[in-house]
Amino acid sequence: MVRAYTQEHVYRHPWDRVTTAVWRKFTDPDTHAVLSHVLDVHTLQQRIEPASGRLHAVRSITIRSPPLPFLLRRVLGQEAVVCHCVESTEVNARGRTMEIVTRNASLRGLLEVEERSFYWPHPERPKEWTAFRQETSIRCKPLAAVAAVAEKVEQRCAERFQQNSVKGREVVERICKYLEAEASSASAISC
């Protein structure tokens, strides 16, 4: 069984600011207090397509899971697990879109998670706001035969992903406000 979830949000900031904040999300010093489950982030690859100007980047992200459900604790013999994920990003600056796809690289025999995030100028206020959509699919593999257990595991994972998604949006909003203040200060000094 695969569970799919979609969340949408409107950032009341321009696309350039939001995508800059998304890039800074894991490096901002105040982020760790909010996203404490993120243990490590490394850029593995970055390249720009000369013809289109599109940026492609791949990062590894290491996270710590919340306490596991009883059955998984028994199977794995531990309270929580460390999971390694691969995040692939494509930024189309000319078309003003950004897509991020994150998949777990470890624990795939137990659980498959894919998260897709899209950022684009809001259709009603394209110079001022940014539209965001996040699609998450979760599949608990070996427990599929025991549907009730699989459903509980998937639901618990989904709840955690939704909570972390809210926290991630809060971090991006905070960084956008910081960038806005930074831009205002710079323009006041140049006057």
Side-chain angles (χ1 to χ4, degrees):
M1 172 190 276
V2 175
R3 288 191 175 264
Y5 302 90
T6 301
Q7 296 182 27
E8 295 183 355
H9 180 72
V10 174
Y11 290 101
R12 294 177 184 261
H13 299 279
W15 182 85
D16 295 344
R17 185 177 302 142
V18 171
T19 54
T20 299
V22 170
W23 277 112
R24 290 187 182 185
K25 181 168 74 173
F26 295 123
T27 60
D28 183 71
D30 297 327
T31 296
H32 185 69
V34 179
L35 302 178
S36 59
H37 67 288
V38 178
L39 302 176
D40 203 13
V41 179
H42 289 286
T43 300
L44 303 175
Q45 179 185 29
Q46 265 184 230
R47 67 181 169 81
I48 295 178
E49 291 178 0
S52 67
R54 291 178 189 231
L55 168 67
H56 298 273
V58 178
R59 298 195 291 188
S60 69
I61 301 172
T62 304
I63 61 170
R64 180 182 50 246
S65 75
L68 297 170
F70 175 75
L71 180 63
L72 288 180
R73 280 191 299 230
R74 298 280 296 182
V75 170
L76 297 175
Q78 52 196 37
E79 183 76 19
V81 295
V82 171
C83 182
H84 303 285
C85 302
V86 175
E87 175 191 87
S88 301
T89 303
E90 181 179 304
V91 180
N92 178 348
R94 290 181 193 149
R96 296 171 48 91
T97 62
M98 180 176 188
E99 179 180 356
I100 303 171
V101 179
T102 307
R103 295 180 180 102
N104 61 309
S106 60
L107 305 173
R108 289 189 64 79
L110 180 63
L111 190 70
E112 289 181 355
V113 178
E114 179 179 280
E115 180 180 275
R116 291 182 173 271
S117 300
F118 305 91
Y119 301 83
W120 68 97
H122 192 279
E124 294 172 19
R125 298 179 82 169
K127 293 183 180 183
E128 301 168 10
W129 294 355
T130 303
F132 168 73
R133 184 175 65 239
Q134 183 178 51
E135 301 167 353
T136 305
S137 64
I138 301 168
R139 180 175 176 228
C140 188
K141 291 174 74 173
L143 302 177
V146 186
V149 174
E151 187 173 330
K152 286 184 182 192
V153 169
E154 289 169 354
Q155 183 169 351
R156 184 125 181 233
C157 289
E159 288 168 1
R160 184 63 175 197
F161 274 92
Q162 289 173 338
Q163 291 167 358
N164 289 338
S165 178
V166 169
K167 290 177 184 179
R169 288 194 305 268
E170 290 171 359
V171 168
V172 171
E173 287 282 4
R174 181 181 45 76
I175 295 172
C176 282
K177 289 176 184 168
Y178 167 78
L179 292 170
E180 183 177 32
E182 192 177 78
S184 294
S185 295
S187 64
I189 291 172
S190 65
C191 291

